[in-house]
Amino acid sequence: MTAHKSGPAIFGSLAALVAAGPILAVAWVAISAPWGDYLIHLMHTRLTGYVLNTIIVTSTAMLLAGIIGTATGWMIARLDFAGRGIFAWALALPLAVPAYVAAYGWLDLTQSAGPLQTPLREAGLPALAHLLPVIRGPFGAGFVFAITLYPYVYLIARQAFAEQHPDMQNAARTLGASRWRTLTGVTLPLVRPALAAGLALVAMESIADFGAVSHLGAPTLTVGVVRAWAGAGSVPDAARLAVVLAFFAYLAFALERQSRARARFGQTSGGYRQLQRLRLSSWQSGVAAIFCGIPILLGLAIPLGRLLYLALTEPTARGVMDGLTNSLGLASITAILAAVLGLGAAYAIRSGTPLGVLSARLASLGYAAPGAVAAVGALVLFAALQTVMDGIWGGRFPVLLSATAGALVFAYLSRFAAVAIAPCEAALTQVTHRLDEAAKTLGAPSRRILTEIHWPLILGGVGIAALMVFVEVMKELPATMILRPFNTDTLAVIAHNYAADERLGQAALPSLIIVLATIPAMILAARSLTRGADR
Amino acid sequence: MTRLFLSAIIAFSAMACSQPTEREVVNVYSARHYDSDEVVYARFTEATGIEVDLIEASGDLLIQRVQSDGDRSPADVIITVDASRLQRAEEAGLFAQTDFSSFASGVSDRFIDPDGYWLGFTLRTRVIAYAEDRVDPAEITSYMDLADARWQGRICIRSSDNAYNQSLLASIIAHHGEETAEAWARSVVANFARPPQGGDTDQLRAIAAGECDVAVVNHYYYVRLANSSNQEDLDVADGIGLIFPAGEHGTHVNISGAGIAANAPNRENAEALIGFLLSEAGQSAYVELANEFPAIDGTQFDNPTVRSLMGFQADTLNVSTLGDNAEAARRVFDRAGWP
């Protein structure tokens, strides 16, 4: 593999390095601050429990999200059935439901005092009521993450399935391989980078979540981090735990990449050929529609429906329209910048230069750190930057950097760099170096290679990166809370404030609007996918 | 040259977020996020012409933000909902020492920081809710009674991540020492009806569902159900009574408190705001809309349910001891295996 330097790669390396700033600031705090005895106390008491919960929550979420995301992604990309056009974007909607909102809805619904168990008990069937599962504990939390985060896998896998060259499957089938063998032996291995990218995002977000796991009684290491932080002057201890957390997440995916690198699959061409979707008979169509409907029901309709039902008897939420404007503005700006960042970083990784790969990986690390800690990292960074600005200015620099909207957008970018990079990287792996070499042999200048070969192949991936970051920003809490300018509420903040105050009904409306506000973007992404496949 | 360039950026960003300089403001960093607060701030602006600029976030994040902005922080007033958070903010040097005596004449001394950095403006009690058909309220006169084996499999309470549980245990440590507190926590864990999950309202609903007989909750969650327009909520509240323990050290009281920021750019406005929070207009809003207890005795308000709960025997310790014992409380919880 030739390491070739190009504009995008150099830009990407630098941008990723800047985006890695907050997590590096966290690491600096972890290393430089004096040590207390909290970590030793933790080791003697709850560390094992935290680690165990983290493993159960994350692996449950990955397993379920992997199955749901891959199956639905394949169905949408490869099958033609009634309602496919709607499911194509609707399947991504649960991503817009904040995990803690789904957790509140599900626990409220399934707990002993909830509307499922109560009627059974009142009908004199307490034993039957007791048999119903309660969505709580580490498995319950894993379930909640799976049904709200599977769209990561779905979106990236769908793209990969759609861009896969049908000749491969045709060849396998011609050689007498069964459909199943074709699927497991050819189709799935080819989308492995995409699956890994999606699952990595599911895992990292599950690891970093605080709201859902603490509500469902499944304290993971992140709960330990937040608790450490609540202790007097324990920011350094929280930073240490967060760094360890991010490191392990990184290690897991580094190992996965290593094993993938040994079995390198490349496609000789991308989605230029019309992909023949398998047309389903009417009853098969029905089965497919039901299958695609279930995750939407679990991740979106049931938990939000429960909250909306509660909303019927509660006063409406305040400030929702202002919140919508703020959320949309912040999410759109960040999504566009993130797509540029993700694309640049993906090129940096592809270039193979040590700086490029390292900075892109570092930038992705921040996603596995608890959001509150990442926000503190941004604060530390801005405080340092303020000192630098004072130096350049030669006195007190008149703008408080941390109080600007730019600071918030930067914090988002750095937190969600992983979300932006993963789909871009997955898309770019579809473009093999051999493709570049062929074009070069034909005398094409690198600009033409980029615009006429790379761009059409990776457009879908970049779009998905922008979409996923858009949705993430719509849901983001800690950085928004602490870096927002005065009097600026977002929908996520409004929803959280009501939910934290145990006014679930009032949290319903802002949550629902978050979901509704992402629909246009989801449809747009689904359209671009269809166009790509039709070319 | 660099300076010129930077000036251009500043001029631009100043234009982008143009604020008329004439405006009288007070910058509030608050960990409260209730509808009642909006009402109080609106009333304050109406009465004084001073506008309230607001940032709401969790207490820990607020402390971090004000600390990292240092002497540039625009914060005038810092508000948190748990006394131990106020103590942390004080230790981080975020507050200016203030003579509260001029506007806090009705506030009991135990809700004012002895060092004069902050004071409480609303009170919230952590009380014991019980199923009226299954529990004789005379069985419990103190939080310590919850350790009794007769409650085995009958207690619902939230996780120890909850700040109000931490402060409750901190008060027990203050009265009885760490060893007794740890033994108490272990016994309560042994009496759990189920692993901690959900919020305080969920614990109340669990009593109604028969999953447990007693629960430890902040009083205003019960009041909200009792004052609700929803029949299901009323049914839950109907079968539940509240015990305000009068034995041993009395009922645990926590505060929503405020202090003036060390580098407050609008100090006079900050004092005016805190004075207003303690006025009848402020206090009545907190009681009527958030169901908290007023910090000023004799406040007039319209909330019969809250009125009926008043007159309890409150813990006499100064609330600043909660912060002193908060870290110890978290560690006792960890050792006791309280999730």
Side-chain angles (χ1 to χ4, degrees):
Chain A
M1 194 167 75
T2 51
H4 52 152
K5 289 199 168 87
S6 62
I10 294 164
F11 159 79
S13 311
L14 295 176
L17 206 59
V18 174
I23 189 71
L24 292 176
V26 170
W28 183 79
V29 170
I31 294 165
S32 64
W35 289 73
D37 65 341
Y38 178 76
L39 296 181
I40 295 166
H41 160 80
L42 198 63
M43 231 176 310
H44 287 312
T45 53
R46 301 186 65 182
L47 190 65
T48 327
Y50 284 149
V51 170
L52 213 61
N53 274 344
T54 308
I55 291 170
I56 297 174
V57 168
T58 314
S59 44
T60 309
M62 286 172 73
L63 184 71
L64 289 176
I67 293 170
I68 301 173
T70 315
T72 51
W74 180 80
M75 288 168 74
I76 296 297
R78 289 305 177 79
L79 303 181
D80 208 349
F81 55 95
R84 182 193 160 276
I86 293 170
F87 282 122
W89 55 267
L91 271 165
L93 286 182
L95 189 62
V97 180
Y100 66 86
V101 169
Y104 281 94
W106 272 105
L107 182 64
D108 186 68
L109 201 64
T110 58
Q111 67 184 350
S112 63
L116 298 181
Q117 292 206 21
T118 307
L120 285 177
R121 228 183 2 258
E122 281 169 0
L125 300 165
L128 199 61
H130 212 70
L131 278 179
L132 291 179
V134 180
I135 301 297
R136 64 162 306 278
F139 289 104
F143 168 79
V144 165
F145 290 130
I147 56 170
T148 51
L149 300 177
Y150 79 84
Y152 281 136
V153 183
Y154 160 72
L155 284 167
I156 304 180
R158 181 185 77 179
Q159 194 71 24
F161 281 125
E163 282 172 357
Q164 220 169 52
H165 203 273
D167 284 355
M168 297 245 189
Q169 280 81 9
N170 293 344
R173 299 281 289 141
T174 316
L175 291 171
S178 67
R179 274 188 194 282
W180 179 250
R181 267 215 65 199
T182 310
L183 184 71
T184 55
V186 179
T187 312
L188 285 182
L190 279 173
V191 294
R192 187 169 153 189
L195 290 186
L199 285 175
L201 295 178
V202 172
M204 287 201 273
E205 188 157 332
S206 312
I207 288 174
D209 178 89
F210 175 75
V213 292
S214 77
H215 190 73
L216 296 177
T220 60
L221 260 176
T222 290
V223 172
V225 172
V226 173
R227 252 170 108 108
W229 187 23
S234 287
V235 172
D237 284 331
R240 279 171 200 127
L241 282 171
V243 166
V244 171
L245 213 58
F247 176 75
F248 277 111
Y250 175 71
L251 204 66
F253 298 112
L255 288 176
E256 198 286 330
R257 270 194 293 271
Q258 196 78 35
S259 79
R260 200 197 316 157
R262 256 184 266 122
R264 186 172 272 282
F265 295 99
Q267 278 204 234
T268 43
S269 81
Y272 277 90
R273 269 272 308 260
Q274 169 76 45
L275 193 71
Q276 212 64 48
R277 286 200 203 97
L278 188 65
R279 198 149 187 55
L280 297 185
S281 68
S282 61
W283 74 267
Q284 286 172 322
S285 256
V287 173
I290 289 170
F291 193 90
C292 287
I294 288 173
I296 303 172
L297 216 59
L298 295 179
L300 175 72
I302 292 179
L304 262 192
R306 174 63 187 159
L307 297 192
L308 282 174
Y309 171 77
L310 294 174
L312 294 179
T313 52
E314 282 194 46
T316 49
R318 280 180 302 113
V320 171
M321 285 322 288
D322 283 345
L324 176 64
T325 320
N326 292 331
S327 288
L328 283 179
L330 287 167
S332 315
I333 294 170
T334 311
I336 293 165
L337 294 176
V340 176
L341 167 73
L343 192 58
Y347 270 106
I349 293 170
R350 188 173 191 261
S351 74
T353 59
L355 174 71
V357 177
L358 184 72
S359 50
R361 298 289 176 233
L362 277 177
S364 299
L365 222 57
Y367 194 51
V373 174
V376 171
L379 281 178
V380 171
L381 195 68
F382 283 118
L385 197 61
Q386 190 86 48
T387 317
V388 173
M389 294 306 277
D390 286 353
I392 298 174
W393 185 255
R396 276 168 76 96
F397 187 65
V399 172
L400 180 63
L401 297 172
S402 64
T404 59
L408 185 52
V409 172
F410 172 76
Y412 287 149
L413 276 178
S414 101
R415 170 131 176 79
F416 299 130
V419 181
I421 295 171
C424 292
E425 191 193 348
L428 209 55
T429 53
Q430 305 251 4
V431 187
T432 59
H433 286 279
R434 240 171 295 156
L435 217 54
D436 287 12
E437 281 149 20
K440 265 191 217 142
T441 318
L442 295 170
S446 37
R447 175 185 290 272
R448 260 194 80 193
I449 298 180
L450 278 184
T451 55
E452 289 182 24
I453 297 179
H454 288 200
W455 189 239
L457 284 174
I458 58 180
L459 185 63
V462 177
I464 285 171
L467 170 69
M468 295 200 312
V469 171
F470 178 86
V471 176
E472 280 291 352
V473 173
M474 293 292 287
K475 312 191 277 187
E476 208 280 342
L477 267 181
T480 312
M481 279 191 166
I482 204 55
L483 286 167
R484 62 192 161 141
F486 279 116
N487 308 323
T488 314
D489 272 348
T490 64
L491 289 173
V493 169
I494 297 172
H496 170 265
N497 284 351
Y498 283 120
D501 190 27
E502 307 188 9
R503 296 178 188 270
L504 297 189
Q506 278 166 289
L509 183 66
S511 305
L512 183 69
I513 294 178
I514 294 178
V515 177
L516 295 179
T518 56
I519 289 181
M522 303 256 181
I523 294 178
L524 213 65
R527 283 262 171 78
S528 81
L529 163 89
T530 325
R531 249 203 334 270
D534 287 347
R535 241 186 336 258
Chain B
M1 186 60 210
T2 342
R3 200 173 166 117
L4 195 71
F5 176 66
L6 290 174
S7 303
I9 295 180
I10 293 163
F12 178 75
S13 50
M15 247 170 9
C17 42
S18 69
Q19 290 182 341
T21 43
E22 307 301 313
R23 217 162 64 106
E24 276 290 325
V25 296
V26 56
N27 297 324
V28 177
Y29 284 46
S30 173
R32 287 176 62 99
H33 42 72
Y34 308 122
D35 290 1
S36 59
D37 302 37
E38 293 286 310
V39 172
V40 173
Y41 300 147
R43 285 180 186 174
F44 172 69
T45 304
E46 202 180 318
T48 61
I50 303 169
E51 290 180 41
V52 178
D53 277 350
L54 187 63
I55 288 182
E56 291 174 334
S58 76
D60 293 323
L61 279 171
L62 287 178
I63 292 170
Q64 209 63 41
R65 168 78 185 265
V66 179
Q67 205 171 11
S68 105
D69 285 348
D71 60 0
R72 291 165 194 272
S73 173
D76 291 314
V77 175
I78 302 167
I79 293 174
T80 81
V81 287
D82 171 50
S84 76
R85 293 274 158 61
L86 288 167
Q87 188 83 357
R88 273 195 64 202
E90 177 188 332
E91 279 159 18
L94 304 190
F95 288 131
Q97 241 167 355
T98 308
D99 178 16
F100 291 115
S101 61
S102 57
F103 42 86
S105 50
V107 182
S108 159
D109 273 349
R110 61 177 185 275
F111 304 123
I112 302 177
D113 176 36
D115 306 320
Y117 287 100
W118 46 265
L119 86 173
F121 60 88
T122 76
L123 314 181
R124 42 256 312 268
T125 55
R126 197 145 184 83
V127 296
I128 298 164
Y130 66 96
E132 284 178 326
D133 57 345
R134 306 191 288 279
V135 175
D136 172 8
E139 288 179 278
I140 300 175
T141 58
S142 152
Y143 300 96
M144 304 312 280
D145 292 339
L146 294 175
D148 194 291
R150 82 169 79 173
W151 300 112
Q152 193 164 13
R154 299 170 71 189
I155 297 178
C156 275
I157 186 167
R158 296 173 79 159
S159 110
S160 63
D161 299 329
N162 177 254
Y164 303 124
N165 276 351
Q166 294 174 6
S167 280
L168 173 62
L169 187 59
S171 79
I172 292 175
I173 292 175
H175 286 288
H176 301 273
E178 236 176 281
E179 226 167 284
T180 311
E182 189 171 334
W184 175 82
R186 278 182 201 283
S187 306
V188 174
V189 170
N191 288 341
F192 280 175
R194 61 176 190 184
Q197 64 190 45
D200 278 1
T201 313
D202 294 315
Q203 317 306 323
L204 293 170
R205 292 192 201 283
I207 292 182
E211 198 170 13
C212 41
D213 296 335
V214 292
V216 182
V217 297
N218 278 14
H219 76 274
Y220 46 86
Y221 292 111
Y222 166 83
V223 178
R224 192 187 293 164
L225 294 177
N227 285 349
S228 171
S229 54
N230 180 335
Q231 191 55 45
E232 285 172 43
D233 290 347
L234 295 173
D235 290 344
V236 171
D238 229 16
I240 291 177
L242 293 189
I243 297 169
F244 288 73
E248 305 215 32
H249 36 87
T251 299
H252 173 65
V253 182
N254 208 327
I255 57 169
S256 269
I260 295 177
N263 302 295
N266 310 295
R267 204 188 148 102
E268 280 179 20
N269 295 352
E271 287 182 5
L273 178 68
I274 293 183
F276 190 82
L277 301 185
L278 293 165
S279 72
E280 186 104 359
Q283 293 285 296
S284 62
Y286 293 126
V287 183
E288 286 164 12
L289 298 167
N291 303 314
E292 293 165 276
F293 291 118
I296 307 267
D297 283 338
T299 299
Q300 294 301 312
F301 60 83
D302 175 27
N303 190 336
T305 316
V306 171
R307 177 78 67 194
S308 72
L309 296 175
M310 285 171 75
F312 51 86
Q313 185 72 45
D315 194 332
T316 50
L317 274 184
N318 187 291
V319 287
S320 69
T321 51
L322 301 180
D324 298 338
N325 292 300
E327 179 61 15
R330 276 186 290 273
R331 293 193 180 202
V332 167
F333 274 133
D334 285 342
R335 287 197 296 271
W338 186 317

